[in-house]
Amino acid sequence: MILVIDVSNTNSTLGVFDGDKLVANWRLSTLSSRTSDETGMLLRMLFVHSGMDISEIDAVVVSSVVPNVMYSLLSGIRKYLQREPMVVRAGMKTGINLRMENPKEMGTDRIVNLVAAYELYGGPAIVVDYSTATTFDVVSEKGEFLTGITAPGVQICADALTRRAAQLPKIEIKRPETLITKNTVDSIQAGLVLGHIGETIYIIQQIKEKLDLPNMKVIATGGLAKVIDENEEIFDVYDPVLALQGLRLLYEKNRNRR
């Protein structure tokens, strides 16, 4: 069994694979203040709560876009799991050709998603990830990264709105029943959610048009993807554990290169 950990700016997602089957997964807040002992004990408690034996973990794979959590995270894994984690970094075998000016600028979270999308669903495809930022990444039929777009995430926009406008309340991020609103909460939800729906549809349409790939698949991940496409009209595939699958696939590609 392998433990995979995807560390994003807001949340960290963890999963356990038995072969290619995901048998457990968890979502935690990403906190730079956790010590290595707190990290290790938290991992052990998750396994106990799920009725699994942590000693059965053969390998650990980590992807992170938050450098200041890595020391404690890796130290906690080494101390409490007695495993040397594989860390996703430049130079790994991915199966994706990063056709960009500086491939090292590509976030590991986006690489992980592209690996999973291409291996599991094929190309050409647009991978849309609703995380701290909303990203749109394109992989070709031959596994080439063609372009990527980064936009402020839905939650970032909501937080900025309430922080900069003193009289606006914090709201639940959900789609309002109608665009024609008559109260403040519905008004904010309409602007926020429907605005991001419009952004998503427009960017997808433009990518397909500019690359002349009208039939490419659209693969979405991230919890807010369900809010954006609750009627299942925009995305061809919704995979909430795409990053975990990508980490498993990267381990399989690189296990003999360590």
Side-chain angles (χ1 to χ4, degrees), residues 45-74:
M45 285 190 293
L46 290 173
F47 275 78
V48 170
H49 183 266
S50 299
M52 295 189 298
D53 185 352
I54 201 169
S55 67
E56 294 183 4
I57 294 297
D58 301 303
V60 183
V61 189
V62 177
S63 169
S64 174
V65 295
V66 189
N68 63 356
V69 307
M70 289 299 283
Y71 178 81
S72 293
L73 175 60
L74 299 182

Side-chain angles (χ1 to χ4, degrees), residues 174-183 185-191 193-194 230:
K174 68 176 186 178
R175 185 172 181 164
E177 294 183 2
T178 176
L179 178 66
I180 309 304
T181 66
K182 296 184 178 181
N183 62 69
V185 171
D186 286 350
S187 172
I188 298 172
Q189 288 173 336
V193 177
L194 299 181
E230 64 180 21

Side-chain angles (χ1 to χ4, degrees), residues 1-242:
M1 294 200 298
I2 66 170
L3 170 65
V4 297
I5 303 174
D6 178 45
V7 181
S8 296
N9 288 288
T10 306
N11 295 307
S12 297
T13 310
L14 300 81
V16 176
F17 283 92
D18 187 354
D20 60 1
K21 181 180 180 182
L22 183 64
V23 295
N25 66 93
W26 310 280
R27 183 180 296 273
L28 306 173
S29 297
T30 299
L31 298 176
S32 59
S33 59
R34 282 197 188 107
T35 67
S36 58
D37 289 316
E38 288 171 332
T39 298
M41 290 302 297
L42 180 56
L43 289 174
R44 284 191 167 275
M45 285 190 293
L46 290 173
F47 275 78
V48 170
H49 183 266
S50 299
M52 295 189 298
D53 185 352
I54 201 169
S55 67
E56 294 183 4
I57 294 297
D58 301 303
V60 183
V61 189
V62 177
S63 169
S64 174
V65 295
V66 189
N68 63 356
V69 307
M70 289 299 283
Y71 178 81
S72 293
L73 175 60
L74 299 182
S75 297
I77 291 168
R78 293 181 182 115
K79 182 175 181 179
Y80 286 85
L81 277 71
Q82 287 81 52
R83 297 290 182 269
E84 181 60 36
M86 175 189 290
V87 180
V88 177
R89 53 172 53 96
M92 293 185 75
K93 183 178 180 181
T94 64
I96 303 294
N97 180 10
L98 295 178
R99 295 178 56 186
M100 53 191 303
E101 294 177 3
N102 184 1
K104 292 183 179 180
E105 291 179 351
M106 188 71 159
T108 57
D109 55 337
R110 299 170 81 160
I111 293 173
V112 167
N113 281 340
L114 285 169
V115 169
Y118 183 67
E119 292 284 339
L120 298 177
Y121 305 107
I126 305 170
V127 182
V128 189
D129 186 2
Y130 292 92
S131 187
T132 305
T134 301
T135 57
F136 302 77
D137 292 316
V138 183
V139 62
S140 75
E141 186 178 5
K142 297 180 180 179
E144 300 165 318
F145 169 75
L146 299 181
T147 191
I149 295 168
T150 305
V154 182
Q155 187 64 60
I156 282 180
C157 292
D159 292 344
L161 191 62
T162 55
R163 185 169 61 250
R164 298 296 294 270
Q167 292 187 330
L168 294 182
K170 289 187 176 181
I171 62 160
E172 178 186 0
I173 296 178
K174 68 176 186 178
R175 185 172 181 164
E177 294 183 2
T178 176
L179 178 66
I180 309 304
T181 66
K182 296 184 178 181
N183 62 69
T184 299
V185 171
D186 286 350
S187 172
I188 298 172
Q189 288 173 336
L192 188 66
V193 177
L194 299 181
H196 278 83
I197 291 172
E199 172 189 87
T200 296
I201 293 172
Y202 179 77
I203 290 177
I204 289 171
Q205 288 176 340
Q206 286 295 298
I207 289 173
K208 289 181 175 182
E209 180 180 319
K210 299 299 183 185
L211 294 177
D212 193 23
L213 293 168
N215 297 317
M216 69 164 59
K217 290 182 288 293
V218 181
I219 301 160
T221 191
L224 289 175
K226 279 290 189 181
V227 177
I228 298 298
D229 189 22
E230 64 180 21
N231 297 323
E232 300 182 355
E233 298 171 339
I234 303 173
F235 309 128
D236 298 303
V237 176
Y238 171 62
D239 189 338
V241 294
L242 190 69

